[in-house]
Amino acid sequence: MEKLTVKICSGTSCFVMGAAQIQALEFTPPEDIADKIEIIEVRCMNHCKDIDATHRRGPFVMVGDELVSEATYEKVVNKIREVLNKDCK
Amino acid sequence: MSDSLFIEIGTHQQQKHGEDCFGDTIYSKKIPEERRIISILSDGLGSGVKANILSSMTTRMAMKFVESNMELLRSSEVMMDALPICQVRKISYATFSIVDSELEGKTRIFEMDNPPHIFIRDGRPLNVKCKELSSPKWKDRTINISQITTQEEDRIILMSDGVTQAGLGNKLYPLGWQRQGCLDFVLKTIKKNPHISAHDLAKAIVHEAIEKEVEKKAGDDISCVVLYFRKPRKLLVLTGPPFDEDKDKEIAELVSYYDGKTAICGGTTANIIERELCLKCEIDKTSFDEKIPMSSIMEGIDLVTEGILTLTEVYRMLKEGIDKDKNNAAVRLTRLLLDSDKIDFVVGTKINIAHQDPNLPMELEIRRNIVKKIFRLLQSQYLKEISVRYV
Ligand code: FES
């Protein structure tokens, strides 16, 4: 099965908003998803510069092709499970 | 100009055991207009605060005199007259060694009462001819003046008598380590590592001297200055996207034609270079750190880091010292800066709107300001040659 790509932004503004905590996924991912995902660190994806969408804030993480804003470790893990489950069905 | 030599000055000191202040003083100064560097080591009589005052007064005065090319014998008389007289010994006293060097090669060394300098050329000691001068007023003092044209890979080592007398009282070194001991150590060290930096060599000498001491406790102030004449190591630091997008290509070309190492600080900047030069870029996970974004690996580029957080941390470490047990992007960048002699900054002035968001949990410095602080520090404290270009 192809792995689900998770892109964590490590650009400046995402980083100060807490992206470093999400990077823990890379080193200690929860067991149930550990071998189903591939973590990619990326530089600024420009979402932070999208001033018209002020309701959305970093850190930004892409789970597959879904964007998670104001991402936290839990939020991303939940999103990953959700996407993986959807794919199973 | 670009081919003239660079003089790297490295110093290391250890105060006498039990004292909290250095009795020896080291003071170096660059005079860029004259392409000249002056470095002075002075040892004050005794140790502690009193010695510190004597030696710092001596270095300051000597610097003024040498800088303004005043005749040396006369200057030394003035210095001796000016030094406060020691209540115990009824003499005013501080020694000095001065190296006055022009980048084109002419170097003069003035010494009074410090152990004679060591001059290394081609891995061997060189005895530089010297003239003796003495003052009618202070008869027991003589000043030695040596002059030589320096070449690439020459080294001059100045030391206080704490180095040569290290080990006194230790049965293994009845007369202390002595200048010869120190010289042998220097030759051995250079043979093992021919390009050892001035800083590392000075540190190694002082540590070795301490090794000789009884219980490894410094019996006197131990100080060492190393001047290393060599080709400058160049570094290009590119940070920030240019104000004008038309300049992207030009900036990228700067990087590909630069004759030295290159560092890129900033995600957007890295994106520009990646796109313009069609390079592949990958995050370097070995640089993981909770406070500093990871660096990336890009072919042909020595270091790629995030921008403002990394630079802010670099500035802190330049001020407070490098975090030795870390290997994050900021530590790597600081090391790269410190290992270079000539640093060319190219600073893009486009403002990153995302950084102006008042909801960010911390204030982010404006790139231009932090770069300014960094290069001022590199210039004044680390004597680096800096150029800055804003684009
Ligand atoms: S820093 Fe993450 S999207 Fe810009």
Side-chain angles (χ1 to χ4, degrees):
Chain A
M1 198 182 88
E2 218 174 275
K3 286 189 180 180
L4 176 63
T5 51
V6 178
K7 290 186 186 159
I8 305 174
C9 175
S10 55
T12 309
S13 48
C14 288
F15 198 86
V16 294
M17 299 296 275
Q21 278 70 47
I22 309 171
Q23 282 167 351
L25 259 183
E26 171 133 26
F27 304 102
T28 48
E31 256 173 61
D32 59 319
I33 56 172
D35 48 359
K36 300 193 182 107
I37 53 171
E38 187 189 3
I39 307 287
I40 305 177
E41 317 277 344
V42 296
R43 290 195 302 263
C44 179
M45 302 184 280
N46 284 330
H47 298 301
C48 62
K49 291 175 188 151
D50 186 0
I51 21 178
D52 298 331
T54 33
H55 56 286
R56 290 205 304 202
R57 220 164 270 138
F60 293 101
V61 175
M62 293 288 289
V63 176
D65 33 44
E66 290 194 43
L67 177 66
V68 185
S69 58
E70 286 173 67
T72 58
Y73 181 86
E74 280 80 46
K75 228 170 146 181
V76 174
V77 170
N78 289 339
K79 187 56 142 191
I80 293 171
R81 290 195 178 120
E82 185 191 314
V83 174
L84 286 172
N85 279 337
K86 225 187 326 185
D87 285 356
C88 291
K89 280 175 203 161
Chain B
M1 286 272 270
S2 60
D3 281 319
S4 81
L5 287 184
F6 174 85
I7 306 175
E8 186 202 349
I9 303 181
T11 64
H12 200 79
Q13 288 187 277
Q14 170 70 51
Q15 69 267 51
K16 178 175 175 172
H17 180 75
E19 296 282 3
D20 8 81
C21 129
F22 292 105
D24 300 343
T25 302
I26 296 173
Y27 180 27
S28 302
K29 190 169 177 178
K30 223 177 206 177
I31 312 172
E33 315 84 74
E34 296 176 43
R35 308 184 46 71
R36 188 174 167 203
I37 283 185
I38 302 168
S39 189
I40 305 180
L41 165 68
S42 172
D43 176 353
L45 181 74
S47 59
V49 178
K50 188 180 62 190
N52 181 288
I53 294 171
L54 287 171
S55 62
S56 24
M57 278 182 71
T58 306
T59 51
R60 302 285 141 167
M61 285 191 281
M63 186 59 87
K64 276 272 166 291
F65 291 133
V66 176
E67 222 179 318
S68 51
N69 299 312
M70 202 164 128
E71 195 258 311
L72 203 83
L73 194 59
R74 174 81 192 101
S75 321
S76 355
E77 282 177 356
V78 175
M79 287 195 274
M80 313 243 229
D81 289 345
L83 290 177
I85 298 197
C86 166
Q87 286 304 309
V88 189
R89 281 164 263 207
K90 298 286 175 232
I91 44 170
S92 66
Y93 187 68
T95 69
F96 58 77
S97 301
I98 304 170
V99 177
D100 178 5
S101 203
E102 284 164 24
L103 292 182
E104 271 63 40
K106 189 176 124 192
T107 294
R108 291 181 304 165
I109 308 170
F110 311 106
E111 292 167 291
M112 191 183 77
D113 290 353
N114 270 342
H117 69 271
I118 291 175
F119 195 103
I120 306 283
R121 173 168 292 172
D122 300 328
R124 281 190 297 270
L126 185 79
N127 283 324
V128 184
K129 256 208 271 140
C130 78
K131 242 185 7 214
E132 240 179 47
L133 281 183
S134 61
S135 144
K137 209 162 161 190
W138 300 85
K139 293 223 177 46
D140 47 339
R141 296 295 150 68
T142 53
I143 301 177
N144 286 317
I145 305 184
S146 336
Q147 184 166 330
I148 185 163
T149 306
T150 36
Q151 302 174 357
E152 200 175 323
E153 293 300 311
D154 281 351
R155 285 184 176 91
I156 299 174
I157 298 153
L158 309 178
M159 64 217 114
S160 65
D161 60 4
V163 173
T164 48
Q165 290 172 6
L168 276 182
N170 180 341
K171 277 196 217 76
L172 289 170
Y173 302 94
L175 299 171
W177 195 24
Q178 300 208 297
R179 183 174 175 278
Q180 188 61 44
C182 176
L183 174 61
D184 294 340
F185 174 75
V186 168
L187 294 176
K188 203 176 74 195
T189 310
I190 294 178
K191 193 162 180 200
K192 237 195 287 167
N193 181 0
H195 297 293
I196 184 170
S197 74
H199 178 82
D200 289 348
L201 183 58
K203 200 161 141 191
I205 292 171
V206 171
H207 284 177
E208 189 68 18
I210 296 170
E211 283 294 308
K212 308 287 178 261
E213 297 277 25
V214 181
E215 290 176 36
K216 301 200 189 351
K217 285 179 184 156
D220 191 358
D221 294 299
I222 300 180
S223 309
C224 180
V225 181
V226 176
L227 290 98
Y228 182 17
F229 299 75
R230 57 176 167 75
K231 279 239 174 69
R233 288 194 271 248
K234 292 177 69 182
L235 172 68
L236 172 69
V237 180
L238 200 62
T239 177
F243 188 76
D244 217 336
E245 267 168 41
D246 303 351
K247 287 248 172 79
D248 286 4
K249 203 179 175 80
E250 189 189 324
I251 298 301
E253 273 171 7
L254 261 183
V255 173
S256 54
Y257 292 120
Y258 192 74
D259 59 336
K261 293 195 169 177
T262 43
I264 298 173
C265 315
T268 316
T269 323
N271 289 342
I272 293 174
I273 303 301
E274 189 176 19
R275 183 189 71 221
E276 294 290 330
L277 301 180
C278 302
L279 295 174
K280 261 231 215 84
C281 190
E282 231 173 76
I283 297 263
D284 180 356
K285 292 180 181 163
T286 62
S287 64
F288 177 76
D289 185 286
E290 259 145 45
K291 295 217 180 70
I292 303 296
M294 290 183 261
S295 58
S296 314
I297 303 172
M298 207 191 278
E299 213 185 289
I301 312 289
D302 295 275
L303 185 66
V304 180
T305 71
E306 176 271 349
I308 213 72
L309 297 171
T310 311
L311 290 169
T312 308
E313 178 71 357
V314 164
Y315 177 64
R316 187 189 67 77
M317 282 192 283
L318 287 175
K319 266 199 323 201
E320 297 168 11
I322 213 159
D323 294 345
K324 288 202 189 63
D325 39 342
K326 287 198 183 151
N327 192 19
N328 63 29
V331 169
R332 294 180 193 192
L333 182 55
T334 313
R335 289 223 173 91
L336 203 52
L337 290 168
L338 292 183
D339 279 343
S340 311
D341 311 315
K342 269 188 159 178
I343 306 166
D344 298 311
F345 284 95
V346 175
V347 186
T349 49
K350 193 167 181 177
I351 301 272
N352 190 335
I353 36 168
H355 295 188
Q356 307 310 315
D357 184 346
N359 294 308
L360 289 183
M362 62 204 266
E363 237 178 277
L364 294 178
E365 276 248 41
I366 305 230
R367 182 187 310 274
R368 237 208 271 208
N369 295 345
I370 188 74
V371 173
K372 209 179 270 169
K373 284 191 197 163
I374 290 180
F375 78 68
R376 288 212 180 121
L377 203 58
L378 285 170
Q379 243 167 350
S380 63
Q381 206 165 319
Y382 296 93
L383 306 179
K384 306 281 182 200
E385 249 175 74
I386 307 283
S387 84
V388 187
R389 196 178 130 198
Y390 295 99
V391 288

